Amino acid sequence: VSDPVPGFHVLNRLRARAGFEVTPITRESLRTAVRRLKGGGLVVTAGDRPIPEDRALISFFGRPAYLPLGPARLAMMSEATILMCGCHYDSRQGYVLEVTGPIELVRTGNWRKDMLDNATRLAAILEGYVRAHPEQWMMFYPLWPGP
């Protein structure tokens, strides 16, 4: 996010302390992300962070939602492999990380349609993670348009 709200500054400091390079979304940071992916590096993005600025709504639980196009866009631009991850807490195991992928991208040659189709496919995987543990999914921003 280009300018995170104050609560996210705390999360970003924790992420940085764990060794993540936390960058705001800017044109330069996106170029850096594409270069990193093309070079075989790793980029982690949120798949459920609402991005109304993307101006495209993606179906999520049967309703149009402001899900990010960035993960699909970055993978298409860099020809990177996508792995989707979800995390939930289990009282016996502790935190469990679930990984789905590698996810094959749709590439028909129609850039915009392919990006939307790929974002929709990622949203369906995210739905599965949320459906499995809905009580553990927290969303602090409006995801669906309207009241």
Side-chain angles (χ1 to χ4, degrees):
V1 174
S2 59
D3 188 21
V5 295
F8 276 91
H9 292 291
V10 173
L11 287 174
N12 286 342
R13 279 197 301 275
L14 290 171
R15 291 169 177 146
R17 204 176 304 155
F20 287 91
E21 179 184 339
V22 180
T23 58
I25 297 173
T26 64
R27 287 182 190 263
E28 183 52 38
S29 69
L30 292 174
R31 282 191 284 271
T32 299
V34 169
R35 282 192 303 271
R36 178 170 288 139
L37 290 168
K38 284 184 175 184
L42 176 70
V43 172
V44 178
T45 66
D48 65 350
R49 176 71 187 233
I51 310 287
E53 297 82 23
D54 266 340
R55 306 241 186 262
L57 295 167
I58 304 298
S59 180
F60 190 58
F61 288 102
R63 294 180 49 208
Y66 291 117
L67 290 175
L69 300 177
R73 183 184 297 127
L74 277 173
M76 289 175 62
M77 291 172 69
S78 63
E79 299 188 21
T81 299
I82 295 181
L83 299 174
M84 288 266 309
C85 300
C87 183
H88 70 275
Y89 182 78
D90 179 276
S91 60
R92 293 178 312 277
Q93 297 177 292
Y95 284 99
V96 177
L97 180 67
E98 297 178 51
V99 180
T100 304
I103 299 162
E104 293 289 327
L105 294 177
V106 173
R107 294 183 192 278
T108 66
N110 181 334
W111 175 263
R112 180 75 178 162
K113 182 178 180 325
D114 290 352
M115 184 177 55
L116 292 172
D117 287 348
N118 286 317
T120 299
R121 292 172 68 228
L122 297 177
I125 295 167
L126 177 60
E127 272 185 32
Y129 291 150
V130 174
R131 232 184 265 287
H133 304 280
E135 74 285 358
Q136 295 187 35
W137 184 55
M138 295 180 284
M139 176 50 61
F140 300 106
Y141 297 96
L143 191 61
W144 293 275

